[in-house]
Amino acid sequence: MATSGSFHLPLNQVSNLGVSLDRDGRIEAVNAALCSFLGRTEAQLLGADWFDTAISTEGRDQVRAVFARIMLGQVALVRHYQNRLVRADGNAAPVSWFNLPRRDEHGAIIGTLSLGDPLEAVTDTGSGEPAALRSELDLLRARLDEAQALIDHNPTAVLVLRAAQGQDFLDAPILSVNNAAAALLQLPISQAIGRSTRQAGLRLPWEPLRQAILNAQDPQISTVHLPELHTIEGQDAGVFSVRAFRLGADTVGLTAEDVTQAWRERVESHRQAQFLETVLDHIPDMVFVKEARDLRFVRFNRAGERLLGLSRDELMGRNDNDFFPPDEAEFFIRKDREVLATGGVLEIPEEPIHTRDGVRTLHTKKIGVHDESGRPLYLLGISEDITDRKKAELELERRALLLEQSNRDLEQFAYIASHDLQEPIRKVRQFGDLLAESLGPDLAPEPADFLRRMKLAAERMQGLINDLLTLSRVNSQDRANQPVNLAQRISDLRENLADGIAAIGARVEVGPLPVVLGDQVQLDQLFTNLVCNSLKFHDTSREPVIQVHSRMVSPEMVEISVEDNGIGFPPDEAARIFLPFHRLHGRGDYDGTGMGLAICRRVVERHGGRLIAEGRPGQGATFRVLLPLAPAPK
Amino acid sequence: MSLPLPTILLVDDDDDDVLLVRRALGSAGWCGPIQRVADGQELLEYLLGKGAWAGSPLPGLILLDLNMPRLDGRSALARLRAIPDLALLPVIVLSTSGSPRDRSEAIELGANDFIQKPSTYADLVAAMRTTREVWLP
């Protein structure tokens, strides 16, 4: 038997007339009782149009309309129905029908099942229903009870409202409710029925519901699912997903599912995402995250948007190829792959990047994010814009270079100038000598004094030029870097200066001295100048004592001190005494060009050391020289 | 009867220096011939007897300045030492420079001595006296 759907009734087991129609009204199945009632064979009936074949002409359109209503699900209106059937012999006979829709597994109506009783055969059985039909109806009622139980115990609230003509759904009486809906209304079911939702104090999101219901073109059942979640006010119930089902022109079914818990979880996860987003947006460096498969951006912070001049919306879901020149994008992608493959942190100290504001330089760190099984998930990148810093560094470098060049030029100039100045001053002196010799002893006292002063001035100038030349030579000439035995050098120096030491009756004490690394000629000059300085500025009121000692300050550096008990100098002069041509004393008191200590400092600096002067008036001076030690012989 | 005195050859472009050295040599007791050429090029011409210098005797001592136009003292010294007959000729560099580097360079090129031109006339006379006594009979 070709019946299908939710109701499978074996038509031949009932005594009623039985017929099953498809959605077009063609006979799909028919039982023996109906065949014999109509006086036709089953073969004649199957596949035939039911209305053309079996319904009397005058009632045919009406019956078709009833069928159409059943097909639209308006079963309640047409469940019981009477019409007249036309038999094969041409006679018509009234039949009372009980109609049911047949549905497929999705609930869609695919046809009808009808059971009929010829009206002349109807006898009073007490209930007005034929006995066989009654058993079928009991079965159906049991099914309906089951369905009702399912609805009643469903946690989703279900309400059915029926509005009178022109009545607002808000005021429409509640036709039925399930337990969950009654709980929501805080009323027993019996009291809920008949009230409107307004009376019940239930404030549903009516406006969008009403609009959706009214706008539905299909006059039949329509479902409206409001996309937003709605708080049902008047309750502390929380958040609901509300649907409306149009059950008919005046009837609406509503369901309200409590989704508060899911909603809270969503709000919390959104809040956390928002928190992370806020933190990222406050980081002043560009932060981005790419998914590991196609390296598309999945996250981008504000600093990154500003840097690239692109908005998050433009960036999301796209990758480097969409924004950067091919070779640049290729570089970024290669580095991304590298860090995803090797793990750890990859540092790119400098990488150029094209932005809307031109090329910038970034210092980037890339970090691969993997799941617990080591599969790459994301690539995290942090980029600091170092363009300005880099620019400043380059500028500084350029200036340092310029300064160095200018210093070199100046040194070269000083050297050449002093070298070339030497010659004329030498001639001035020599011709002065010749002049004095030629004029002889007969020269009058005054011209003789002029000549003497001229010669002295020339001599002093030559001294200045010589010292200047020495000073510039310390810079301009290559410096040897060899082990220099200081003990030996100071010993030689004492011998060279023996006359000067003896002349003032000075005592020179020398402690153990190391071997340092440097230029012997320059170091000789340094210590000669320092010792001569001490000799020159001795205090005549006591025996001059000059002490030379050493002290290790690190494994690489040694401090040599040259200490005297001479006239000293004010502490605030300590820095200035190293300036070229700087003199603390008048020419009448102490001879000299003021270049000696300047040369000393230049020599020490050229050796990568330091020279410090300490002094107090009347209490002597100490010069501390920091020099690199020669590596110990292996 | 004594042997004729050798010639001292001054190589210097500076007339003042030539005047001073000539006079200082006199003050130092030198009464032999003194010739002067103005640069390295002319020195080589003199030594090879070219042009105006044809027939001039080889000097007994050369006092050579370093910084000169055309051919400077260093180059002249190098070329001179490359000529076998002149390899042993006494050459004293007489220079304004007091730089140790100039000194060692000159000695390496084959100078017999290096004298920094003194600052006073007396010192110049003393230097010329010493030189004469050391290098000339």
Side-chain angles (χ1 to χ4, degrees):
Chain A
M1 188 121 225
T3 56
S4 61
S6 53
F7 296 99
H8 180 92
L9 289 177
L11 290 179
N12 279 332
Q13 289 176 22
V14 296
S15 56
N16 308 79
L17 310 180
V19 63
S20 166
L21 303 181
D22 69 12
R23 62 170 71 240
D24 297 317
R26 274 192 291 275
I27 300 167
E28 220 170 38
V30 63
N31 70 355
L34 186 54
C35 288
S36 88
F37 183 77
L38 291 175
R40 295 178 190 276
T41 65
E42 187 179 2
Q44 286 173 321
L45 291 169
L46 285 181
D49 183 281
W50 168 253
F51 310 103
D52 291 345
T53 308
I55 306 297
S56 64
T57 331
E58 66 275 12
R60 202 172 277 164
D61 287 343
Q62 204 193 338
V63 174
R64 276 191 201 278
V66 168
F67 179 78
R69 299 190 79 172
I70 296 171
M71 292 305 291
L72 290 170
Q74 296 176 338
V75 186
L77 302 178
V78 293
R79 191 167 280 163
H80 294 280
Y81 185 77
Q82 292 180 12
N83 65 6
R84 293 171 66 86
L85 295 190
V86 181
R87 290 178 163 140
D89 58 14
N91 294 324
V95 175
S96 170
W97 292 99
F98 180 76
N99 302 311
L100 286 170
R102 288 188 299 116
R103 297 173 188 270
D104 65 13
E105 61 269 27
H106 306 298
I109 296 173
I110 54 167
T112 58
L113 173 72
S114 303
L115 297 175
D117 288 299
L119 276 183
E120 54 268 45
V122 171
T123 54
D124 188 14
T125 57
S127 71
E129 291 168 350
L133 182 57
R134 207 159 45 237
S135 73
E136 294 308 321
L137 287 176
D138 288 344
L139 188 68
L140 288 170
R141 285 191 188 105
R143 291 267 176 103
L144 283 172
D145 288 345
E146 282 168 29
Q148 188 64 46
L150 275 178
I151 291 168
D152 278 347
H153 295 100
N154 199 295
T156 300
V158 178
L159 302 90
V160 177
L161 312 173
R162 177 169 295 161
Q165 184 71 37
Q167 191 179 30
D168 194 310
F169 282 112
L170 195 57
D171 297 316
I174 295 169
L175 209 58
S176 62
V177 290
N178 69 349
N179 293 337
L184 195 63
L185 294 165
Q186 293 179 318
L187 289 170
I189 291 178
S190 59
Q191 290 182 33
I193 289 173
R195 294 186 188 223
S196 68
T197 54
R198 195 202 295 274
Q199 286 168 331
L202 183 63
R203 306 242 288 275
L204 285 164
W206 271 118
E207 205 41 52
L209 275 173
R210 180 167 32 218
Q211 282 309 315
I213 292 164
L214 295 178
N215 285 347
Q217 289 301 308
D218 186 346
Q220 306 308 320
I221 293 175
S222 63
T223 301
V224 179
H225 181 204
L226 297 177
E228 310 94 36
L229 296 173
H230 291 275
T231 307
I232 295 180
E233 294 175 53
Q235 322 291 326
D236 41 44
V239 182
F240 291 80
S241 169
V242 178
R243 288 167 189 241
F245 301 83
R246 184 157 181 163
L247 299 173
D250 51 359
T251 311
V252 166
L254 292 172
T255 64
E257 186 186 352
D258 187 342
V259 293
T260 310
Q261 188 54 34
W263 182 81
R264 287 207 180 111
E265 282 163 11
R266 248 167 65 189
V267 166
E268 177 57 21
S269 94
H270 179 72
R271 202 186 62 76
Q272 283 184 8
Q274 201 64 42
F275 171 71
L276 183 62
E277 197 81 13
T278 306
V279 168
L280 286 180
D281 276 344
H282 281 80
I283 294 175
D285 295 337
M286 171 163 82
V287 177
F288 55 88
V289 180
K290 298 170 176 177
E291 46 80 22
R293 203 170 61 96
D294 298 322
L295 296 171
R296 294 180 186 283
F297 291 113
V298 294
R299 188 145 298 194
F300 222 87
N301 75 342
R302 200 169 295 154
E305 292 180 295
R306 269 200 300 270
L307 176 73
L308 298 186
L310 292 164
S311 75
R312 230 163 277 203
D313 294 343
E314 290 171 279
L315 288 156
M316 288 302 167
R318 303 171 75 180
N319 68 17
D320 291 333
N321 285 318
D322 297 321
F323 303 106
F324 305 115
D327 51 337
E328 206 170 285
E330 194 267 330
F331 173 81
F332 295 150
I333 290 168
R334 183 155 47 81
K335 291 289 178 189
D336 291 349
R337 293 278 176 228
E338 196 180 316
V339 73
L340 285 174
T342 58
V345 180
L346 179 83
E347 193 154 351
I348 306 160
E350 276 179 36
E351 57 175 5
I353 187 167
H354 279 76
T355 73
R356 294 229 167 127
D357 296 331
V359 178
R360 311 285 295 176
T361 307
L362 302 182
H363 172 195
T364 296
K365 292 190 187 92
K366 290 185 170 176
I367 301 133
V369 179
H370 299 78
D371 66 11
E372 56 272 21
S373 67
R375 222 160 17 128
L377 290 178
Y378 297 108
L379 179 108
L380 168 66
I382 304 165
S383 295
E384 185 190 355
D385 183 352
I386 57 165
T387 314
D388 295 339
R389 198 174 74 200
K390 187 101 184 69
K391 217 180 275 174
E393 273 173 17
L394 278 177
E395 176 60 19
L396 212 62
E397 219 167 272
R398 195 183 65 84
R399 280 175 192 221
L401 217 70
L402 274 177
L403 194 66
E404 197 183 312
Q405 178 64 40
S406 132
N407 271 343
R408 256 206 310 276
D409 290 353
L410 205 63
E411 281 157 14
Q412 193 63 23
F413 169 77
Y415 178 75
I416 290 168
S418 46
H419 186 267
D420 288 357
L421 287 171
Q422 255 192 336
E423 194 160 297
I425 198 64
R426 181 170 50 76
K427 286 178 191 166
V428 168
R429 292 189 69 190
Q430 291 190 3
F431 283 115
D433 290 345
L434 277 178
L435 185 61
E437 190 186 291
S438 311
L439 293 171
D442 306 333
L443 197 59
E446 207 182 25
D449 185 48
F450 293 161
L451 196 58
R452 186 183 62 82
R453 285 175 188 275
M454 190 192 81
K455 282 170 65 179
L456 279 176
E459 188 183 337
R460 205 165 57 243
M461 177 150 181
Q462 192 165 40
L464 286 171
I465 291 168
N466 276 337
D467 284 350
L468 204 57
L469 195 58
T470 308
L471 181 67
S472 61
R473 220 178 259 154
V474 173
N475 286 314
S476 62
Q477 287 188 1
D478 294 339
R479 185 175 62 86
N481 212 28
Q482 287 163 342
V484 177
N485 184 339
L486 280 187
Q488 182 61 49
R489 298 324 301 157
I490 300 295
S491 161
D492 284 5
L493 186 149
R494 276 174 88 166
E495 229 164 82
N496 293 340
L497 298 177
D499 289 350
I501 292 167
I504 60 164
R507 185 152 54 83
V508 179
E509 295 171 0
V510 181
L513 295 173
V515 178
V516 297
L517 203 60
D519 183 300
Q520 185 185 307
V521 175
Q522 290 187 6
L523 291 177
D524 279 352
Q525 178 113 47
L526 164 70
F527 288 105
T528 304
N529 284 8
L530 289 179
V531 173
C532 284
N533 209 60
S534 289
L535 290 174
K536 185 158 90 179
F537 297 106
H538 70 272
D539 188 333
T540 48
S541 67
R542 54 182 173 240
E543 181 198 18
V545 179
I546 301 169
Q547 301 185 70
V548 183
H549 292 290
S550 67
R551 184 173 71 92
M552 298 295 164
V553 293
S554 79
E556 291 89 29
M557 301 296 277
V558 62
E559 181 192 89
I560 315 289
S561 59
V562 178
E563 187 178 356
D564 64 49
N565 61 347
I567 59 168
F569 57 86
D572 57 357
E573 286 283 345
R576 261 179 296 172
I577 57 175
F578 294 115
L579 295 175
F581 302 115
H582 184 77
R583 294 165 53 90
L584 284 179
H585 307 280
R587 191 163 294 122
D589 305 324
Y590 292 96
D591 204 19
T593 59
M595 294 295 286
L597 290 177
I599 292 169
C600 287
R601 191 172 72 165
R602 201 68 70 87
V603 168
V604 176
E605 281 172 358
R606 285 271 288 170
H607 280 74
R610 242 171 2 130
L611 177 58
I612 300 163
E614 294 161 3
R616 284 194 177 282
Q619 292 178 29
T622 304
F623 289 88
R624 300 182 189 281
V625 183
L626 208 60
L627 288 173
L629 280 164
K634 285 174 189 154
Chain B
M1 154 105 198
S2 56
L3 286 167
L5 287 168
T7 299
I8 295 179
L9 182 60
L10 306 183
V11 191
D12 202 326
D13 58 318
D14 187 317
D15 292 343
D16 293 336
D17 274 333
V18 170
L19 173 64
L20 286 164
V21 172
R22 272 182 191 277
R23 195 168 174 109
L25 278 169
S27 301
W30 178 253
C31 40
I34 300 173
Q35 283 286 3
R36 182 253 180 132
V37 291
D39 56 51
Q41 190 64 45
E42 203 179 350
L43 167 65
L44 292 178
E45 283 163 16
Y46 179 99
L47 294 175
L48 299 173
K50 286 189 178 166
W53 303 112
S56 301
L58 269 187
L61 178 68
I62 296 172
L63 295 177
L64 177 68
D65 188 22
L66 285 182
N67 295 322
M68 290 179 295
R70 295 215 290 174
L71 189 65
D72 72 8
R74 295 173 191 83
S75 310
L77 184 56
R79 294 220 204 155
L80 180 156
R81 288 302 187 214
I83 300 166
D85 289 349
L86 305 177
L88 294 176
L89 198 61
V91 178
I92 310 297
V93 170
L94 192 58
S95 167
T96 310
S97 169
S99 146
R101 197 160 37 158
D102 284 342
R103 169 184 288 272
S104 55
E105 190 186 19
I107 301 296
E108 248 168 65
L109 284 170
N112 296 81
D113 201 354
F114 183 101
I115 298 172
Q116 184 181 11
K117 290 175 182 173
S119 302
T120 65
Y121 184 68
D123 289 345
L124 182 62
V125 172
M128 289 303 106
R129 180 173 290 122
T130 310
T131 303
R132 183 183 72 84
E133 285 168 3
V134 171
W135 294 104
L136 292 169

